[in-house]
Amino acid sequence: SILFLEGSAGIGKTVLLEEAGEMAQEHGVFFPPIVDFYDTEMHAHFALEARIAQGLDQEGKFFQAYWVARERMGRTLMRGAKSLKEQEKHLWDVFLEGYKSVVKKQRVLLRFDTAELLEYEQDSQEVKVDCEVPTQDAPSWEWLLERIGELENTAILIAARPTPAGLLRRGLVEKHGEHVLPLEISKFSLVETESYFKSTEFGSEVVDESPEMMAKVHLLSDGQPILIALALDWLSRGSWERYIYPARLEEMRAMQAKAQQEEQDKQQGEAWQKWMEARRNFKIALVENIRTLDHKGLDMAAKYAALARKGCSAELLSLLMDISSEEADRLVGELLSLSFVKPPRGDRELFFLHDE
């Protein structure tokens, strides 16, 4: 079975994948780490298969033949003994043997994140025909469409942002039919925002002492979980309250209602512009607080991590900031406590900043 989770940036897709792992553990289902396609190495299906094999078989009991075949593959290609296609097929067959050995003993949950990045930008069909340019997608794209159907006793969760063409979602449905369940993830309601606040001790205090503050955060974030989480981060550090939109809650609700009416009427007039500006200032205020993270170099660590588009690590921070490995480890630990930092996946220990 394949569950395709689709939602905008910061809506909580990754959190759902993590919670699915917790549920799997409760039910005795084996779940390797999430594969995040934000890491471009995972766009190659060889790396994708290796990551899954490592996650499923850390003791090396079931995939020994796969690792041997993978090592031999490079040497065989150099000698020209077999074509790349033949080698790929052989490696997949050996991988599948190891995989079947695992799922005979235990059901498996595979989780994939940021899958929209596998849908590479394409020229128009007319340009591709005129210039004789073939359609090109990430190799892992074909893996998801063609090979996951051969994985027995496995539940698969794929999280992605919507794309204009929706090719991955459509391709999965066309290939796997009723085995695919598309699910659209919506934004938080006011009640859900309140529940999120109450899930932490500090957030509960905010709801009890200043429910207006929680409601303002909900309005200005438009119910986007990543913005709500970041606002709560800054509130808990006492560094953001001065930025909250100064209007009273009733005025904000009235402004939002007028803006929504103008949008429905396709006018986008003064009220709509004013409301969009308020929400934009809210986002700017949230991001600007990164500059206030001056606690022993945390602000600079966040900036360098933002520049490392292909992932950051303690080792890289140590080199960029000219600090000791111990200091870099400390900074990474503090960064990972922030809601806009995506934790490492797999064995490469790379973390990313959420691009929303």
Side-chain angles (χ1 to χ4, degrees):
S1 56
I2 304 167
L3 181 60
F4 187 80
L5 303 171
E6 193 170 54
S8 59
I11 204 68
K13 300 182 295 295
T14 301
V15 173
L16 283 177
L17 293 181
E18 291 169 345
E19 291 182 352
E22 295 174 6
M23 294 175 63
Q25 188 173 31
E26 292 174 2
H27 291 82
V29 175
F30 192 34
F31 58 103
I34 296 170
V35 173
D36 195 340
F37 292 115
Y38 200 90
D39 181 354
T40 54
E41 184 183 5
M42 294 299 103
H43 291 203
H45 62 284
F46 293 126
L48 175 59
E49 288 174 1
R51 175 69 59 82
I52 293 172
Q54 287 172 337
L56 289 174
D57 187 25
Q58 295 181 3
E59 296 181 2
K61 294 180 179 179
F62 302 106
F63 285 91
Q64 290 179 342
Y66 166 76
W67 294 116
V68 171
R70 183 180 169 86
E71 186 179 349
R72 288 176 178 170
M73 182 175 177
R75 298 197 299 268
T76 305
L77 287 173
M78 288 180 63
R79 294 198 306 268
K82 291 184 179 180
S83 69
L84 176 59
K85 193 169 184 178
E86 289 175 318
Q87 286 291 292
E88 286 180 353
K89 178 63 169 61
H90 174 67
L91 193 61
W92 167 248
D93 289 341
V94 178
F95 171 88
L96 199 55
E97 288 178 11
Y99 193 91
K100 288 178 178 179
S101 299
V102 173
V103 297
K104 280 181 182 178
K105 300 178 178 294
Q106 194 173 16
R107 186 165 174 78
V108 167
L109 170 67
L110 296 181
R111 299 166 295 165
F112 302 98
D113 202 2
T114 328
E116 75 278 357
L117 294 184
L118 298 179
E119 190 176 320
Y120 289 172
E121 185 177 352
Q122 306 280 346
D123 288 313
S124 67
Q125 187 61 32
E126 292 80 4
V127 170
K128 287 190 285 188
V129 170
D130 289 345
C131 299
E132 298 181 356
V133 176
T135 298
Q136 180 107 22
D137 292 302
S140 290
W141 166 284
E142 182 180 355
W143 194 95
L144 285 177
L145 291 181
E146 301 293 335
R147 292 184 173 175
I148 57 175
E150 299 183 50
L151 302 178
E152 301 173 357
N153 198 24
T154 301
I156 296 167
L157 300 185
I158 302 173
R161 298 181 190 180
T163 61
L167 296 179
L168 181 56
R169 174 175 175 167
R170 189 165 71 241
L172 287 167
V173 171
E174 289 175 355
K175 184 67 179 179
H176 303 288
E178 61 184 13
H179 296 290
V180 179
L181 176 62
L183 180 64
E184 185 176 346
I185 304 172
S186 58
K187 300 172 183 177
F188 277 4
S189 66
L190 179 59
V191 172
E192 289 168 333
T193 299
E194 182 177 347
S195 296
Y196 180 81
F197 266 68
K198 288 183 175 180
S199 66
T200 68
E201 183 178 352
F202 176 80
S204 294
E205 292 176 6
V206 173
V207 173
D208 292 339
E209 297 174 9
S210 180
E212 242 193 40
M213 177 68 76
M214 181 272 298
K216 285 183 178 182
V217 168
H218 172 74
L219 282 174
L220 292 169
S221 67
D222 195 30
Q224 286 187 272
I226 185 65
L227 299 182
I228 295 169
L230 190 52
L232 192 54
D233 271 348
W234 297 147
L235 285 171
S236 67
R237 287 168 169 80
S239 60
W240 183 74
E241 198 165 354
R242 66 186 182 277
Y243 288 109
I244 191 68
Y245 193 75
R248 291 167 47 239
L249 181 59
E250 292 76 11
E251 294 173 353
M252 291 178 61
R253 284 174 172 161
M255 187 193 307
Q256 182 196 43
K258 289 180 181 178
Q260 289 174 339
Q261 186 60 54
E262 287 188 355
E263 189 169 26
Q264 288 176 7
D265 297 340
K266 299 182 179 180
Q267 292 181 358
Q268 296 185 358
E270 182 180 351
W272 185 88
Q273 296 288 348
K274 190 175 180 181
W275 180 243
M276 290 300 106
E277 182 66 16
R279 288 187 52 206
R280 179 174 176 274
N281 288 339
F282 172 79
K283 286 187 176 182
I284 290 173
L286 294 180
V287 175
E288 280 184 342
N289 267 275
I290 296 175
R291 298 175 184 173
T292 70
L293 292 174
D294 56 0
H295 178 56
K296 297 182 180 179
L298 189 57
D299 59 337
M300 292 304 299
K303 292 173 185 177
Y304 279 120
L307 293 172
R309 296 289 294 170
K310 292 191 176 183
C312 192
S313 65
E315 182 180 3
L316 183 57
L317 278 184
S318 176
L319 293 171
L320 291 173
M321 299 178 67
D322 193 23
I323 57 178
S324 68
S325 58
E326 292 78 11
E327 176 68 3
D329 286 335
R330 181 190 67 78
L331 289 173
V332 169
E334 292 195 40
L335 281 172
L336 293 178
S337 71
L338 297 169
S339 57
F340 59 87
V341 179
K342 302 176 78 171
R345 312 289 186 197
D347 60 344
R348 296 178 70 205
E349 298 185 352
L350 296 176
F351 64 89
F352 300 85
L353 300 195
H354 199 290
D355 59 5
E356 170 63 12

